[in-house]
Amino acid sequence: MKENKKILEIVSNEAKNSVEQIPVVTPSIYASIFSEFAKKNNLKIENEENLSKEIIHSECLKFTALQEETSKNAQTLSENTNKAISAIQNKDEQILNQVLQETQSLRHEIEKLKESVYKDELTHAYNRKWLHDTYLNPFGNLFVANGTLCIIDLNYFKQVNDTHGHIIGDKVLIFLTNELKKLKMPVIRYGGDEFIILFSDSISEQKAITILNKIRENVISKKLKAHNDAFRVSFSFGIAKFKKNDELAHVIEKADKNMYNDKMEIKKRVTGI
C-alpha cells in the first residue's frame, strides 16, 4: 500500500503537470492522461476505494492539525495584544517583558507553521504553494517581478526506482535538492523529479547556465551507494527569462523546450545510472 502511494504521488504530479497546458480538461481527458503515466510507471492500483479513503483521511488530519495550530496562535496573539495595551497604559514594564518573550515564542511557532505549509515534506525544498504565494499575482499565475526560471529534470529517475527501489529514489531526490540549495537560490520541488530554480533579474541567462553546469558536473562526479551497488545520477535543465505579468505556464513551457536539447546532449554523455 505504501509503495503504491509513493508511485501514485509521482504519477499524479506528472498528470497534473501535463494537463496544466490544456485549456479545458474533462474527466475523460484527465483519466486518459493519468492512465498513460500510470502505465509508464507500472502503477497498478488495487483496492482503489480503500486507498482513496486512506489518502483523504491523512490529508484531513493534516488540515485539521494546521487549522488548530493556526487558531491557537491567533488566540495567543490576541491575548498578547491585549496585555501589551494594558501594560502600556499602566506603564508596567514587567508585563511588557512577559509579552515580548511570549511574542518571540509565537514568532518561532509561526515560522514552524509556515515551514509545514510551504516546504515539500520529503526534500524540504519549497513547494508549489510557496511559488504561487511568493512570486505570482494572487489573482492569476502571473509573475510579480522580472527574473529567470530554470526547470530541472532528473535523468533516468525511473531506472533508479526500478533498479534500487523507491526508498533509494527518495534519497536521490533529497541528495539533488541539497546540491541545488548550494546555489543559494529558491529551490522548488515542482512535482515528482522536477524542480524549479528562480534566479533574480540581476543574474544573466548565460551566468545562470554557467552556474548550473558547474552544479551538474559536481552531481555527476559523485558516486551514490545503494546496498552493495554504486551509481551516478545526472539532470537536464532548461532556462527561460520572465518579466512582470508573464504567465507561469508559458514560462515553464519555454524552459521545457529549451531543456529538450540539453537533455539530448547530456544523455549522449551519461547513458544511464
Side-chain angles (χ1 to χ4, degrees):
M1 183 77 77
K2 188 176 180 181
E3 183 77 359
N4 263 354
K5 279 177 70 177
K6 182 63 64 178
I7 306 173
L8 185 61
E9 180 186 347
I10 294 168
V11 172
S12 298
N13 283 323
E14 288 178 336
K16 283 188 286 187
N17 289 345
S18 181
V19 299
E20 272 189 355
Q21 311 301 327
I22 304 173
V24 178
V25 181
T26 64
S28 59
I29 290 174
Y30 182 81
S32 174
I33 291 171
F34 186 91
S35 296
E36 278 187 40
F37 285 114
K39 186 177 180 182
K40 187 183 82 172
N41 287 277
N42 300 317
L43 174 64
K44 294 178 182 177
I45 302 177
E46 297 175 358
N47 206 345
E48 183 179 350
E49 186 177 344
N50 284 344
L51 179 60
S52 298
K53 285 179 180 177
E54 184 182 329
I55 292 169
I56 291 170
H57 177 66
S58 174
E59 292 304 312
C60 284
L61 286 177
K62 287 181 186 176
F63 178 75
T64 302
L66 185 62
Q67 191 177 40
E68 289 175 352
E69 191 66 26
T70 303
S71 178
K72 185 184 80 174
N73 288 338
Q75 180 64 31
T76 302
L77 183 59
S78 176
E79 290 171 358
N80 282 352
T81 301
N82 290 334
K83 282 182 186 177
I85 292 170
S86 176
I88 290 168
Q89 289 173 339
N90 298 319
K91 297 181 180 179
D92 190 330
E93 290 190 14
Q94 185 177 351
I95 295 294
L96 279 174
N97 285 332
Q98 182 186 342
V99 169
L100 177 61
Q101 290 174 10
E102 289 176 356
T103 303
Q104 287 173 336
S105 176
L106 178 61
R107 183 175 10 176
H108 178 66
E109 289 301 316
I110 290 172
E111 287 302 316
K112 283 167 56 180
L113 192 61
K114 281 171 64 179
E115 185 169 321
S116 70
V117 172
Y118 284 137
K119 292 290 181 74
D120 174 62
E121 195 173 339
L122 173 67
T123 63
H124 294 163
Y126 289 117
N127 57 23
R128 286 191 184 202
K129 180 169 177 55
W130 181 88
L131 170 63
H132 283 256
D133 288 357
T134 308
Y135 274 82
L136 304 180
N137 187 306
F139 304 106
N141 291 331
L142 307 177
F143 282 99
V144 295
N146 301 345
T148 300
L149 179 145
C150 171
I151 191 158
I152 287 175
D153 184 59
L154 262 168
N155 298 321
Y156 309 110
F157 187 59
K158 184 176 183 298
Q159 190 179 343
V160 173
N161 285 327
D162 290 347
T163 305
H164 300 295
H166 290 276
I167 292 175
I168 297 298
D170 284 352
K171 290 182 178 180
V172 168
L173 292 174
I174 294 168
F175 161 73
L176 178 61
T177 303
N178 290 336
E179 291 297 310
L180 295 177
K181 282 181 178 179
K182 292 176 182 178
L183 293 169
K184 305 298 182 185
M185 302 289 175
V187 179
I188 300 117
R189 187 183 179 197
Y190 196 64
D193 59 326
E194 275 192 334
F195 293 82
I196 282 176
I197 294 177
L198 294 165
F199 293 92
S200 67
D201 194 39
S202 62
I203 296 178
S204 69
E205 194 170 339
Q206 189 53 52
K207 177 69 173 175
I209 290 171
T210 301
I211 292 169
L212 286 162
N213 274 325
K214 186 176 179 181
I215 288 285
R216 178 163 60 187
E217 291 305 314
N218 188 48
V219 167
I220 292 172
S221 70
K222 292 185 177 178
K223 285 187 178 181
L224 307 181
K225 291 185 179 179
H227 312 298
N228 295 323
D229 295 328
F231 64 98
R232 300 179 193 273
V233 293
S234 65
F235 63 82
S236 301
F237 66 85
I239 280 180
K241 296 285 286 183
F242 61 84
K243 293 182 179 179
K244 183 178 179 180
N245 292 327
D246 281 352
E247 190 174 349
L248 174 65
H250 291 160
V251 177
I252 288 178
E253 184 179 5
K254 185 179 176 182
D256 244 341
K257 287 178 180 176
N258 291 336
M259 182 169 65
Y260 178 80
N261 289 335
D262 182 77
K263 189 173 281 287
M264 294 302 103
E265 288 303 314
I266 197 67
K267 282 192 170 183
K268 289 176 184 176
R269 278 183 56 203
V270 184
T271 56
I273 61 171

